[in-house]
Amino acid sequence: MKRPTIADIAREAGVSKGAVSYALNGRPGVSAATRERILAVADRLQFHADSNARALAGAKTRVVGLTLRRPPSTLGVEPFFMELISGIELELSRRSYALLLQMAPGRDEELGFYRRWFSEGRVDGVLVCDVHVGDPRVGMLQELGLPAVVIGPPDVSGTLTSVWSDDERSMVEAVEYLAALGHRRIARVGGIPQLAHTAIRTAAFAGVCARLGIADAVTVPADYTGEAAARATRKLLGRPAGAGGPPTALLYDNDVMAVAGLTAARELGVAVPAELSIVAWDDSPICRLLHPPLTALTRDIGAYGVQAARTLLAAIAGEAVTSTHGAPAHLTPRGSTAPPRTS
C-alpha cells in the first residue's frame, strides 16, 4: 500500500490536481458540487492535506509510534515498561525524535491507530510490543510498508525486523537453579498465555522440568497484575497432597506478580524462603528493597529499548537492518530462595 496523493484524488474525482488543491485548501475556483465530490474522494482514500503535503515534500515527521493494548494504569505499576520506554526515549532524544505513545483498549482500535498514522503521515516508523502468534499487526505493517521493529521473538515477526531476548535460556537457568537447591515441587505463575514470549516460557518451563524429572510442575496463567498473581498463589499453596501438594518454589513472569505472591504467602503463614522460594522475572529496585529481597532474572531492559529504537531509526534512514538477539536475563540469587525444608 502507498500513501494517497493529490494525483490519486484528481484521478478518482475526474478533475485536475489544481482543482483538488483548491478544494482541499478551501480556496475559490471550483463549484460547490465539485468541491463536495473531491472532499468525499479524499475522505474515502483517507487523505489528510497537512500530513500528506509534508510526506509529498519528502520531510520526516521525526516521530516514532508505539501502541500498548493494556490499561493506562499499567505504566504506573509495571517497571518493565517504564524501563523499556526510558531506553527508547533515550535513543530517540539523541536523534531529535519524539515518541508517540498510544494506549489501545482493544485490537481493532490498535489496528486503527496504525492505519491512521500511516494515512496521515504522522509517524516515520513504529515499534511493536506484546506480539501474539498470528498477530494481525504484523501482516498490516508488512502490507503498508511502514518501517517497523518488533520487540519480541522473530518466529512471530514475519518479515519485520525484531529485537528479542532468549526467554527459553533464562527459564532453563532459573529452573535448574531451583532444582540444584533441592526443589522437586516447582510451579510457575505465567503471563498472558496468548503472548508469544509467554508461550516460549511455558514450553521451556515444561521442557526443563520434564528433563529434570520434576513431575508436579504446573503453570497457572495470569495477566501480570498483582491481583491475579495473589489468587494464583493462594490456589497453588492450597493444593492438597493428593494433587502433588503445595509447591516449595514459585517462579513469577514479572516482578509485580512476585511481590504479590510474597504478600499472599505471608498472609497464609508460609515463610519465605524457609517454606517457599520465590523467583521473579525482570529485576527492578522493588525486588531489592523487599524483605527478603527477591531472587530475580535480571537484564538491562533500558538497553533493550535503546537497541529497538536504534534499529528502527536505521530502518527509517533506509539502512539494511537485521534482527538482533539481545542478552538474555540471568539469575541474580537473593534472600527469597533457599533449599526446601526437609520433613
Side-chain angles (χ1 to χ4, degrees):
M1 294 181 63
K2 68 181 184 69
R3 191 173 285 112
T5 66
I6 287 178
D8 294 328
I9 298 174
R11 183 170 55 254
E12 290 281 337
V15 298
S16 68
K17 289 190 289 185
V20 172
S21 179
Y22 291 147
L24 294 177
N25 290 288
R27 295 167 56 190
V30 293
S31 68
T34 300
R35 186 187 307 277
E36 184 176 342
R37 185 169 78 253
I38 290 171
L39 293 177
V41 170
D43 183 65
R44 179 166 55 81
L45 295 180
Q46 296 185 326
F47 180 93
H48 300 270
D50 292 342
S51 57
N52 278 276
R54 182 175 60 247
L56 288 170
K60 298 291 187 184
T61 65
R62 306 197 74 81
V63 175
V64 164
L66 170 65
T67 66
L68 292 177
R69 190 158 61 93
R70 298 196 184 191
S73 58
T74 296
L75 296 183
V77 298
E78 178 60 86
F80 173 84
F81 280 118
M82 289 189 288
E83 294 182 40
L84 180 70
I85 292 173
S86 176
I88 292 170
E89 287 277 24
L90 178 63
E91 183 63 21
L92 293 181
S93 64
R94 289 171 179 165
R95 303 279 291 276
S96 299
Y97 264 77
L99 177 66
L100 174 57
L101 176 62
Q102 181 70 61
M103 308 302 287
R107 180 63 73 206
D108 290 343
E109 290 85 355
E110 192 172 21
L111 292 171
F113 289 136
Y114 286 118
R115 293 191 190 96
R116 191 174 309 116
W117 288 349
F118 175 78
S119 66
E120 296 177 1
R122 295 185 63 188
V123 299
D124 295 331
V126 296
L127 295 165
V128 185
C129 286
D130 286 349
V131 186
H132 293 59
V133 175
D135 198 310
R137 293 175 296 170
V138 172
M140 170 181 282
L141 290 168
Q142 289 174 159
E143 182 181 0
L144 293 175
L146 185 65
V149 169
V150 172
I151 302 176
D155 291 349
V156 294
S157 301
T159 61
L160 302 180
T161 303
S162 65
V163 175
W164 64 293
S165 176
D166 191 344
D167 283 0
E168 179 180 3
R169 179 176 170 184
S170 301
M171 180 64 76
V172 169
E173 181 179 344
V175 174
E176 287 182 340
Y177 164 76
L178 292 171
L181 288 176
H183 291 280
R184 309 306 297 170
R185 298 200 305 272
I186 302 173
R188 167 174 165 259
V189 177
I192 300 170
Q194 295 80 9
L195 296 180
H197 70 269
T198 300
I200 290 173
R201 295 179 186 183
T202 299
F205 179 74
V208 66
C209 286
R211 174 169 59 81
L212 296 174
I214 300 172
D216 294 326
V218 61
T219 289
V220 177
D223 61 2
Y224 296 115
T225 66
E227 294 80 7
R231 288 194 298 270
T233 301
R234 296 187 193 101
K235 178 180 178 181
L236 287 166
L237 294 181
R239 280 199 309 181
T248 61
L250 274 173
L251 196 156
Y252 295 84
D253 264 22
N254 76 348
D255 44 4
V256 172
M257 294 199 297
V259 172
L262 174 62
T263 301
R266 284 175 171 168
E267 291 173 350
L268 293 171
V270 178
V272 176
E275 297 173 283
L276 176 69
S277 287
I278 290 178
V279 177
W281 200 298
D282 285 333
D283 203 355
S284 68
I286 194 172
C287 292
R288 300 186 287 275
L289 294 173
L290 293 172
H291 180 74
L294 294 180
T295 294
L297 285 160
T298 306
R299 57 177 170 168
D300 190 340
I301 300 170
Y304 198 40
V306 167
Q307 183 59 51
R310 185 174 297 160
T311 302
L312 178 58
L313 292 179
I316 290 171
E319 301 174 17
V321 294
T322 57
S323 295
T324 303
H325 180 187
H330 289 292
L331 198 76
T332 301
R334 297 196 183 100
S336 67
T337 48
R341 175 182 290 176
T342 56
S343 56

